[in-house]
Amino acid sequence: MPFKYAEQIKELQLTNCPPAFWRPVNRDAFRYVFEDIEHPHNFIPPLAIRPKRINSPGFHTDYAKCCGFALSFFNTLQNAQTHYAKLQKNIPNIGKSIGTHIATGAIGKADGVASEENQQTGHFDLHEYEHSDLKPKFSILIKIS
Amino acid sequence: MNTQTQLHKIRFDSSFFERLTKVADLIYFDGPLLSLFRDSDDKKYLYYWCDVEQTYNRWIIVPVRQLIIEKYFNKDITLHEIIVVAIKNEWAYLVDLDDNLQYQNISQIDLNEITHSYLPDDDSFYDFQPIFYEEPKIPIWGSLANISDISTHQFLERVYSKALQENCVDDIWLFERQLQRGAIRSAAALDWHIILQNIRALDSVAKVLWDAYEELIFPKKVQNPDAGIYLLIGNPQEEFNSFFIGKDFTDRTIFVREFKRGFLRFLSLAQRSCPS
């Protein structure tokens, strides 16, 4: 099944993107979003929001570029809250960049392929398939900022 | 406490940004939030993301000594302290980076005027996983297993001579563990390690290890079938992968292939998920 950002990935000549060991999953997931669930950035990966960031040092490896076309999630509400608190303590304005609320929803195998979870943070990423539409599946759970 | 004496003000001449090389992202979520750069003189700089508007991201840039970075990693100093000290000493700058990655509005920061939300909390001790961009030095730990009449030193000499033949002697550093008098020797102790200097030498190193095993250890297996070489690799995340030549592996081609595959997969373990 084609990926949502396959054209950009092809143009950038990113090989093994998404990595072959990422797998379709059925699972609940938690994501940082802005208060209005219709906010245009809520379910768009960073390099799709600002494509020119591809040239910045933060995305200078192929792996980072590939991750830039994936959506970030956490495996539990607690892990999402804990990580946000850590970020906010260091970067008080973080909400202006990644959102101020946590939304939850169910990701299905037809939505894309997911990375393994980070064992320490519970963070994982999803490369969406072309026809995936996560917004209707997610609802705002709590305010965190 | 002034922890950054002897630093100099940044001179934002036209080549300043061009001379910078990314060393690591220290805080990252959907992009870098705190990054460490170095210039061509190996002076270090922190880029600290503090705000975003429609067309630009705003960063605080401060010069920082290596010692301070180490203290920050060790939780002896907070990010708040690093930035505030830099501001007090007039070393900190606000820089807007626009969508075209052009630096705009470079200004020195005044502590009395800075927006409170631009500063980390007082207890902003480091609690993240850094992402380093310079090639790591990779240790391969090893031990002779179930061998009594060949010393580690003899074995490493053989490895060295094989490395000369394979033309990879500059790509590996060999270290023999020296036990102190009175030290307790455990059967599981690892007696030596190799620091692989270049990932491209991985194939050669696997062959060298096998050939040294085949010449020195394999003939002993007639009398002692359990003889072999135990290898262990580990990464900064303290994840490990082991290989037992002579037990798990009895064929050179298979060992070289599996060692390389296991090693590279092991290195990619840090990339099982995107940085967070």
Side-chain angles (χ1 to χ4, degrees), chain A residues 19 21-22 31-32 44-46 50 52-61 63-68 70-74 83 86-98 115-121 123-125 127, chain B residues 22 25 27-34 37 48-57 72 79 97 99-101 103 115-129 133 237 239 265 268 270-276:
Chain A
F21 56 87
W22 289 27
R31 175 170 167 79
Y32 303 140
I44 307 289
R50 289 193 166 182
K52 287 178 178 172
R53 288 182 76 192
I54 197 81
N55 298 315
S56 72
F59 292 98
H60 78 293
T61 67
Y63 191 75
K65 289 183 175 81
C66 183
C67 289
L71 293 172
S72 281
F73 294 93
F74 287 85
H83 200 70
K86 265 184 9 181
L87 288 170
Q88 198 168 35
K89 185 162 66 175
N90 286 272
I91 297 141
N93 274 339
I94 190 66
K96 293 176 75 171
S97 175
I98 64 175
S115 68
E116 292 182 24
E117 293 171 10
N118 181 306
Q119 294 297 308
Q120 293 180 20
T121 63
H123 173 264
F124 67 95
D125 286 87
H127 262 276
Chain B
K22 171 81 75 83
D25 285 323
I27 304 177
Y28 191 103
F29 192 88
D30 285 358
L33 297 166
L34 178 68
F37 286 81
Y48 170 72
W49 182 92
C50 61
D51 206 355
V52 62
E53 293 297 342
Q54 284 292 327
T55 57
Y56 65 82
N57 280 282
Y72 180 50
L79 184 57
L97 192 57
D99 278 349
N100 294 315
L101 302 175
Y103 290 87
T115 307
H116 181 69
S117 64
Y118 284 9
L119 294 177
D121 288 359
D122 289 345
D123 61 343
S124 48
F125 290 102
Y126 192 61
D127 193 18
F128 295 88
Q129 297 170 348
Y133 292 105
Q237 288 77 36
E239 296 166 313
R265 180 185 179 279
S268 71
Q271 297 184 338
R272 280 177 301 196
S273 61
C274 293
S276 62

Side-chain angles (χ1 to χ4, degrees), chain B residues 146-189:
Chain B
N146 307 311
I147 292 285
S148 58
D149 55 348
I150 296 173
S151 71
T152 296
H153 193 75
Q154 281 176 293
F155 175 73
L156 291 181
E157 282 190 334
R158 191 62 57 96
V159 170
Y160 183 80
S161 70
K162 290 293 173 188
L164 282 172
Q165 290 173 18
E166 275 286 329
N167 204 25
C168 66
V169 76
D170 290 335
D171 296 321
I172 61 173
W173 293 358
L174 298 171
F175 296 89
E176 183 178 358
R177 184 177 174 215
Q178 300 290 332
L179 291 174
Q180 295 178 348
R181 281 177 69 86
I184 297 170
R185 184 163 189 149
S186 152

Side-chain angles (χ1 to χ4, degrees), chain B residues 49-112:
Chain B
W49 182 92
C50 61
D51 206 355
V52 62
E53 293 297 342
Q54 284 292 327
T55 57
Y56 65 82
N57 280 282
R58 176 164 286 175
W59 298 80
I60 292 176
I61 303 176
V62 299
V64 63
R65 283 190 294 146
Q66 179 67 30
L67 177 64
I68 297 302
I69 292 297
E70 289 168 13
K71 285 187 172 193
Y72 180 50
F73 279 156
N74 290 331
K75 303 182 197 293
D76 293 331
I77 187 173
T78 63
L79 184 57
H80 176 91
E81 190 176 1
I82 293 173
I83 292 175
V84 167
V85 167
I87 293 172
K88 283 179 179 173
N89 285 289
E90 302 180 347
W91 296 325
Y93 290 82
L94 270 180
V95 175
D96 293 339
L97 192 57
D98 68 22
D99 278 349
N100 294 315
L101 302 175
Q102 297 299 307
Y103 290 87
Q104 312 283 355
N105 306 322
I106 299 171
S107 61
Q108 198 169 7
I109 301 173
D110 183 330
L111 193 58
N112 296 316

